[in-house]
Amino acid sequence: DPLVRRSEQEGRMLQAIVDKQHEKFIKVVQDGRPKLSGQQVRDMADGRIFTAEEAKERGLIDTIGYLDDAYKRLTQLSGFPKNRLVRYSNTWLTGNNIYTNSFPIELLPN
């Protein structure tokens, strides 16, 4: 029955999993954002959702853009005049989305 209350032991086990994943998240952010102190990361990692502008102001992201902006930046950084984005897809599971036809994509069935 999905409406059965969980026991205290089950609650502690679930909380331990959440706490462990939270610590992993904090480490990933700290590793990726060395300019932020551990305390700054912990102060922000409280479950809030940030807008892109807020994330940029706080140093969590470098820039704001869309998938085509990332593609253009990849082309600049790679040094190749032309790049190809390959998307592996199960179209029957993922269907169409806003990224499917943004720019040339070579679809390869998996």
Side-chain angles (χ1 to χ4, degrees), residues 33-92:
R33 295 290 157 180
K35 291 181 181 178
L36 295 176
S37 72
Q39 190 58 52
Q40 285 174 306
V41 173
R42 285 189 178 282
D43 289 346
M44 288 186 278
D46 61 4
R48 281 180 281 178
I49 297 172
F50 296 111
T51 66
E53 291 82 8
E54 290 170 328
K56 187 172 180 189
E57 288 169 9
R58 294 168 185 267
L60 294 170
I61 61 173
D62 296 324
T63 190
I64 300 169
Y66 293 96
L67 190 58
D68 57 332
D69 298 315
Y71 178 76
K72 289 173 189 171
R73 183 72 176 132
L74 170 69
T75 300
Q76 292 170 346
L77 292 174
S78 72
F80 296 110
K82 207 171 178 188
N83 288 288
R84 207 174 42 168
L85 177 67
V86 178
R87 176 178 181 239
Y88 295 90
S89 163
N90 286 324
T91 53
W92 61 91

